[in-house]
Amino acid sequence: MATSMETTKYTSLKQQLQVDEDSFQYYNLLALKDERYEKLPFSIRVLLESAVRNCDNFHIKEKDVENILNWKENQNASVEVPFKPSRVILQDFTGVPAVVDFAAMRDAVKRLGGDPEKINPVCPSDLVIDHSVQVDVSRSADALQKNQDIEFERNKERFLFLKWGARALKNMLIVPPGSGIVHQVNLEYLGRVVFNSDNVLYPDSLVGTDSHTTMINGLGIVGWGVGGIEAEAVMLGQAISMVLPKVVGYKLTGKMDPLATSTDVVLTITKHLRQIGVVGKFVEFFGPGVAQLSIADRATIANMCPEYGATVGFFPVDKNSLAYLRQTAREEDKVKYIEAYLKANHMFRDFTNANEDPIFSEVVELDLGSVTTCMSGPKRPHDKVLVSEMKDDFQKCLNNKVGFKGYDIPEDKQSTTIPFVLDNQEYTLKHGSVVIAAITSCTNTSNPSVMLGAGILAKKAVEAGLSVAPYIKTSLSPGSGVVTYYLQESGVIPYLENLGFSIVGYGCMTCIGNSGPLPEPVGQAIEKGDLVACGVLSGNRNFEGRIHPLTRANYLASPPLVIAYAIAGTVSIDFEKEPLGLNNEGKEVFLRDIWPTREEIQEVEKQFVIPAMFKDVYSKIQKGNTQWNSLDAPESMLYPWDPKSTYIKSPPFFETMTKDVSPPAAISNAHALLNVADSVTTDHISPAGSIARTSPAARYLAARGLTPREFNSYGSRRGNDAVMARGTFANIRLVNKFIGKAAPKTVHVPSGDVMDVFDAAERYRGEGTSLIILAGKDYGCGSSRDWAAKGPWMQGIRAVIAESYERIHRSNLVGMGIVPLQYLEGENANSLGLTGKEKFTIEIPQGIQARQQIPVKVSDGRSFNVVVRFDTDVELTYFKHGGILNYMIRTML
């Protein structure tokens, strides 16, 4: 991956770089002697270097290098360029199906007469197991151990399979469960900043099978989330084909308020950039304000890049980056060659020097001093709410019509209170009651300032005699063992535990819906009163139905605020006017009385967050724990599929595949399986959380002898296509216009029967009917999920017609051979008078071009044009092969 085999006009750029006594090679971009280079955004310079280094005039051509170098002129021209990342990173929810696909591809290559050993990752690939652990046990000293035990009990088959992958697949590192969250481990340990491959230096860059891969942008590493299908192609040595992006320069000035947190900054930026519109663009941060931000602060901002819609949220490397590498115990000789390489190629920044500022597509600005304490919710991460306005905002949400900011609760029902008994004590729930309070997610747990801030606040709260009601499900899930280390050393753990925030596991947990069950009386009270109960979490996603089925309102907040709202027990509180409670002397305690300042936190951080902690934790990371090490995985080249397994199953994607490519068939007289509105998320399409007992997936598992306790989550069963096909569109919060309310249901149009979506798809399949989906704006927004494309493929979906798509999901649809079609500007199903109950015929021309317009014929005699959202020639090639993996298999024969 380090160098090109072919001789090109750029071969001569490979030169020597001396660092102390060591001599390296690198591609000297200054030797291009092209003044355009010095004005390129730093993120584009990384794309350029990759193109220069990998140029072979086949996969990457000299013209591609010129197109990137000419970014200023080409940024508005939809120019397609290839990009070969340095590595791939995966988490287990998306990593298991990737390894399943590799195993199935080996089987397919063997069946078609090829050599299955060719199916291996070509570029370095890291898989961190972090998505499996759930908050089954909380508020106890042994919660961590119990949750890990349950995790292994539930996921033994998956873990055995992944351990087989670690042995059978070359060039793949698997980080065992219990080590931390993928993006935090990437930041603290896996991130190279500059690669050294066979003594050739080049920038670290990556794609990941999780949309929050962008967190690594905070360390000056270009990386973003892609679909699992696309990542597998990169693992097999393919370049990503992308449209050369516009780059929005985001200028930070001023100084943060002493009471503000990095969480407040990122929620402010998220709302700001959502309003501006940065989908499909790079965002690159610059300005003197950046120099004041720690790498952890920058990583927090970069982490939520998917929420503000950009491809990357990039912070070029500066002196703070190097200081972070030393703080996290990276070896000094590596830090030296990183600095030397980046300075030699003018990729090292001084944010206080405006002369280094490159040209941007546009520039927007934020004064850090204007940031105030805030949250986001109740249903979307970019719906910022000032904490000072929270009480009024929640009341408006109760009044508003059902929508992203509304629940339409009748006025006479807004004062509903439901008493319940837990552990022989009576409590009361009402609208706005907090029932989940979780310090979770790499967005914040990677940042010592907010984690220590939460610890200091907890200490002050306990000393003031404050407490958290025992029915609130509180939890603390650090992103790595380092967090536990410095929380223990700083002495705040006992105070966090006193308030119920005991450590429950090292993983994503509540942020991805692994919040576990609420106490049964709490759940019954919520359902009895039809209450808008609340979750408050330090996560990055709060889409409806994601955190817990019973928390209809979920707010993203900094870790200190999570504790504050847990103490308050409600989001319907004005912290300025209303006290959190009474102290031991009966005096009112306000939030301002216990809120730590930034300087207070930094003093503790400087003392307790030290390199020795990182060195100690990460020196043991690949050794695993006793449970992992005791797993006896198969050692065969081909995976021995167990037909009885309900976790790992050979998928049907390649069963009918032949060596030769068949022309695409027309989609004739198709019915719409669903007709949905705007912002249908990948959670709606392919939920990751618990499997409802009445769902098709539950019936499938029960028929195989499993009890509801053994169902586990959809995310954990992504290695079983039969479960995932049944879980597609099984989210209880899915709103299908055919039904008119939230339910995982649809109408079988010919009969008028209301059915589970999977059951309707199966009936259509039996009738030989093709299927499509009608959708609104931002179809497929949310976490990157390959099963949000694989599941519809298995249900027989041939095409989606939407107003717009989330970038990764559109790519995944293409990767599965599903045609993404887009209404013309200003048109949608409503404006065209479509009910969705018509039949649709779509003919795919043999010589179809990228972004070509084609007609859709309606059974009532009308037709309308749509844009075919194959955005590049490479995507067209994938489609003609029936998908990206089919294409890769044929290249191996």
Side-chain angles (χ1 to χ4, degrees):
M1 293 293 290
T3 60
S4 164
M5 297 290 290
E6 301 291 326
T7 299
T8 70
K9 65 188 282 189
Y10 303 112
T11 305
S12 62
L13 299 183
K14 191 175 182 183
Q15 299 178 4
Q16 295 292 318
L17 179 67
Q18 196 70 27
V19 183
D20 294 339
E21 302 300 315
D22 299 316
S23 182
F24 301 93
Q25 291 183 307
Y26 79 116
Y27 284 80
N28 181 3
L29 300 184
L30 302 190
L32 288 166
K33 294 185 167 59
D34 194 314
E35 61 184 14
R36 291 175 297 179
Y37 177 72
E38 296 291 349
K39 291 299 181 182
L40 288 178
F42 282 64
S43 51
I44 300 298
R45 297 180 196 189
V46 176
L47 302 187
L48 177 68
E49 190 282 338
S50 176
V52 165
R53 175 167 39 87
N54 291 294
C55 183
D56 58 4
N57 279 324
F58 178 61
H59 293 292
I60 298 177
K61 301 176 181 179
E62 292 177 1
K63 182 183 178 183
D64 295 319
V65 175
E66 173 58 27
N67 281 338
I68 300 172
L69 194 54
N70 200 32
W71 170 84
K72 183 182 176 183
E73 304 301 325
N74 287 335
Q75 59 173 308
N76 296 309
S78 296
V79 173
E80 175 189 347
V81 296
F83 175 53
K84 275 197 171 184
S86 305
R87 60 188 173 101
V88 175
I89 195 162
L90 312 98
Q91 36 88 340
D92 57 303
F93 269 17
T94 49
V96 165
V99 179
V100 165
D101 287 347
F102 267 78
M105 289 168 73
R106 282 188 168 184
D107 291 343
V109 167
K110 183 180 181 182
R111 176 174 62 82
L112 295 171
D115 179 5
E117 276 203 274
K118 287 184 177 179
I119 302 293
N120 275 304
V122 174
C123 71
S125 302
D126 304 312
L127 191 157
V128 180
I129 301 174
D130 68 348
H131 273 50
S132 301
V133 63
Q134 299 185 35
V135 190
D136 290 289
V137 181
S138 61
R139 302 187 77 128
S140 70
D142 59 355
L144 172 63
Q145 187 60 52
K146 284 186 175 179
N147 287 328
Q148 286 183 341
D149 290 344
I150 296 170
E151 177 188 18
F152 268 84
E153 179 187 334
R154 283 188 181 127
N155 297 284
K156 184 177 180 181
E157 283 184 57
R158 296 171 67 247
F159 292 169
L160 271 169
F161 175 69
L162 287 175
K163 200 164 184 181
W164 167 83
R167 290 175 176 175
L169 298 173
K170 300 171 184 174
N171 214 13
M172 174 176 270
L173 167 70
I174 293 186
V175 177
S179 302
I181 302 175
V182 57
H183 308 305
Q184 189 161 341
V185 173
N186 194 19
L187 186 73
E188 296 176 351
Y189 176 66
L190 296 172
R192 283 79 153 172
V193 183
V194 170
F195 252 84
N196 177 3
S197 179
D198 298 325
N199 223 39
V200 177
L201 302 181
Y202 53 96
D204 186 4
S205 61
L206 70 152
V207 291
T209 56
D210 189 284
S211 51
H212 294 101
T213 298
T214 53
M215 183 170 177
I216 202 66
N217 299 165
L219 188 55
I221 298 171
V222 170
W224 62 86
V226 296
I229 303 156
E230 192 175 8
E232 289 168 38
V234 175
M235 292 166 75
L236 289 165
Q238 295 294 295
I240 286 177
S241 183
M242 60 186 293
V243 174
L244 195 62
K246 294 181 180 179
V247 182
V248 176
Y250 200 98
K251 187 174 185 179
L252 295 175
T253 60
K255 187 177 181 180
M256 285 177 63
D257 183 282
L259 299 179
T261 68
S262 57
T263 314
D264 302 321
V265 175
V266 71
L267 295 180
T268 301
I269 289 173
T270 298
K271 180 177 176 64
H272 188 198
L273 285 174
R274 268 286 175 182
Q275 291 172 330
I276 291 167
V278 292
V279 173
K281 302 175 184 177
F282 282 12
V283 172
E284 187 169 308
F285 293 89
F286 75 109
V290 177
Q292 299 177 35
L293 297 177
S294 68
I295 298 306
D297 291 339
R298 298 177 195 181
T300 298
I301 295 167
N303 178 285
M304 286 193 71
C305 180
E307 282 65 52
Y308 45 82
T311 304
V312 301
F314 185 65
F315 291 83
V317 175
D318 71 341
K319 63 181 182 180
N320 288 9
S321 314
L322 301 182
Y324 178 82
L325 292 175
R326 293 186 170 99
Q327 182 189 38
T328 51
R330 263 64 165 218
E331 296 167 12
E332 183 61 28
D333 61 335
K334 291 183 178 179
V335 178
K336 285 183 177 179
Y337 72 61
I338 288 168
E339 180 176 9
Y341 170 82
L342 294 173
K343 286 183 174 179
N345 256 339
H346 288 194
M347 293 181 176
F348 192 87
R349 274 235 61 172
D350 176 358
F351 288 105
T352 63
N353 182 1
N355 293 327
E356 291 184 6
D357 292 348
I359 293 172
F360 294 111
S361 307
E362 61 178 304
V363 172
V364 292
E365 188 170 332
L366 175 70
D367 177 2
L368 291 172
S370 69
V371 174
T372 55
T373 310
C374 59
M375 304 163 73
S376 279
K379 302 180 185 181
R380 296 190 302 186
H382 54 277
D383 289 332
K384 187 182 83 165
V385 187
L386 297 181
V387 169
S388 60
E389 299 172 1
M390 183 64 197
K391 185 174 182 177
D392 290 341
D393 189 83
F394 182 74
Q395 181 59 48
K396 289 176 183 176
C397 288
L398 293 181
N399 295 331
N400 292 344
K401 291 182 179 180
V402 173
F404 297 120
K405 294 285 288 186
Y407 296 97
D408 199 11
I409 304 297
E411 191 172 342
D412 64 330
K413 300 288 186 183
Q414 292 184 12
S415 58
T416 298
T417 58
I418 304 294
F420 67 96
V421 175
L422 180 69
D423 296 333
N424 299 317
Q425 180 74 36
E426 184 171 303
Y427 303 95
T428 300
L429 289 184
K430 57 186 178 180
H431 294 295
S433 290
V434 174
V435 295
I436 290 177
I439 298 175
T440 182
S441 172
C442 52
T443 308
N444 285 290
T445 65
S446 62
N447 195 326
S449 67
V450 291
M451 295 302 287
L452 287 168
I456 295 169
L457 183 141
K459 181 175 185 291
K460 292 182 176 183
V462 171
E463 289 172 345
L466 301 177
S467 62
V468 175
Y471 64 81
I472 298 176
K473 187 159 192 178
T474 47
S475 60
L476 168 59
S477 47
S480 79
V482 174
V483 180
T484 304
Y485 213 135
Y486 65 66
L487 290 178
Q488 286 175 333
E489 291 298 307
S490 60
V492 298
I493 285 281
Y495 301 99
L496 288 164
E497 290 177 339
N498 185 289
L499 296 178
F501 289 90
S502 56
I503 293 173
V504 294
Y506 296 96
C508 301
M509 304 190 88
T510 301
C511 186
I512 59 164
N514 285 357
S515 50
L518 292 174
E520 196 167 325
V522 174
Q524 290 172 346
I526 294 169
E527 291 180 319
K528 181 179 179 181
D530 193 24
L531 298 177
V532 180
C534 299
V536 183
L537 65 151
S538 62
N540 48 43
R541 293 268 166 85
N542 57 341
F543 299 122
E544 194 171 12
R546 177 185 177 94
I547 305 307
H548 192 283
L550 295 177
T551 56
R552 291 160 66 186
N554 295 282
Y555 290 92
L556 306 181
S558 66
L561 271 181
V562 170
I563 295 178
Y565 278 103
I567 294 169
T570 179
V571 299
S572 188
I573 182 173
D574 183 339
F575 285 130
E576 285 299 310
K577 299 175 182 176
E578 301 173 60
L580 284 170
L582 303 177
N583 67 11
N584 298 326
E585 299 171 357
K587 293 181 179 178
E588 293 181 336
V589 180
F590 288 84
L591 180 58
R592 58 180 173 269
D593 299 327
I594 61 173
W595 191 266
T597 65
R598 197 167 174 82
E599 289 74 15
E600 203 176 343
I601 296 165
Q602 287 172 342
E603 187 177 328
V604 177
E605 182 179 349
K606 186 177 180 180
Q607 183 178 355
F608 293 106
V609 184
I610 56 176
M613 293 179 177
F614 293 89
K615 189 171 185 179
D616 183 44
V617 168
Y618 285 109
S619 66
K620 306 168 186 172
I621 194 167
Q622 291 183 45
K623 296 177 182 176
N625 53 39
T626 304
Q627 291 161 306
W628 174 261
N629 293 332
S630 66
L631 294 174
D632 187 17
E635 298 186 9
S636 53
M637 180 189 66
L638 298 176
Y639 185 70
W641 306 99
D642 178 1
K644 296 180 181 179
S645 173
T646 56
Y647 277 102
I648 305 298
K649 181 176 175 289
S650 180
F653 307 138
F654 317 118
E655 285 179 354
T656 60
M657 181 182 167
T658 60
K659 287 185 178 181
D660 299 321
V661 179
S662 301
I667 302 170
S668 301
N669 294 315
H671 271 296
L673 182 62
L674 297 165
N675 183 5
V676 294
D678 299 344
S679 298
V680 168
T681 71
T682 51
D683 281 304
H684 289 121
I685 304 168
S686 183
S690 59
I691 297 173
R693 296 187 180 192
T694 57
S695 65
R699 293 196 293 272
Y700 171 86
L701 293 171
R704 280 148 185 81
L706 275 70
T707 64
R709 182 178 174 274
E710 297 169 312
F711 287 171
N712 210 334
S713 65
Y714 284 112
S716 67
R717 292 193 181 272
R718 284 182 181 165
N720 186 314
D721 59 270
V723 173
M724 297 309 295
R726 287 163 173 79
T728 302
F729 299 113
N731 191 316
I732 62 171
R733 298 299 178 191
L734 175 72
V735 178
N736 177 8
K737 293 179 184 178
F738 291 162
I739 303 298
K741 63 179 181 180
K745 303 282 185 180
T746 195
V747 172
H748 176 257
V749 175
S751 67
D753 292 344
V754 176
M755 312 174 69
D756 287 321
V757 177
F758 173 80
D759 294 339
E762 285 296 287
R763 183 183 288 188
Y764 280 123
R765 188 193 308 277
E767 296 165 349
T769 302
S770 295
L771 296 173
I772 66 169
I773 291 171
L774 301 182
K777 297 184 182 74
D778 298 326
Y779 181 72
C781 56
S783 300
S784 62
R785 281 192 193 153
D786 57 342
W787 269 109
K790 288 176 177 176
W793 180 89
M794 291 197 65
Q795 289 188 353
I797 303 297
R798 297 282 307 282
V800 179
I801 308 176
E803 288 185 70
S804 63
Y805 294 88
E806 193 277 334
R807 176 182 61 85
I808 299 173
H809 185 63
R810 186 199 61 80
S811 171
N812 273 344
L813 291 175
V814 174
M816 284 307 298
I818 296 175
V819 186
L821 303 172
Q822 189 162 315
Y823 294 107
L824 300 186
E825 185 70 30
E827 293 185 352
N828 55 38
N830 290 339
S831 70
L832 293 168
L834 301 174
T835 66
K837 295 187 177 181
E838 306 86 350
K839 291 183 179 180
F840 301 87
T841 296
I842 306 162
E843 293 187 10
I844 309 297
Q846 291 298 316
I848 189 170
Q849 302 294 310
R851 299 188 76 97
Q852 180 178 334
Q853 286 191 24
I854 62 171
V856 176
K857 297 176 183 177
V858 188
S859 54
D860 59 14
R862 294 179 295 155
S863 71
F864 59 95
N865 283 355
V866 292
V867 177
V868 182
R869 285 298 309 277
F870 299 135
D871 289 356
T872 66
D873 290 339
V874 172
E875 288 186 344
L876 280 170
T877 301
Y878 292 157
F879 170 71
K880 290 172 183 176
H881 279 264
I884 193 170
L885 300 183
N886 306 58
Y887 168 78
M888 290 306 307
I889 288 172
R890 289 190 177 105
T891 64
M892 297 289 175
L893 298 176

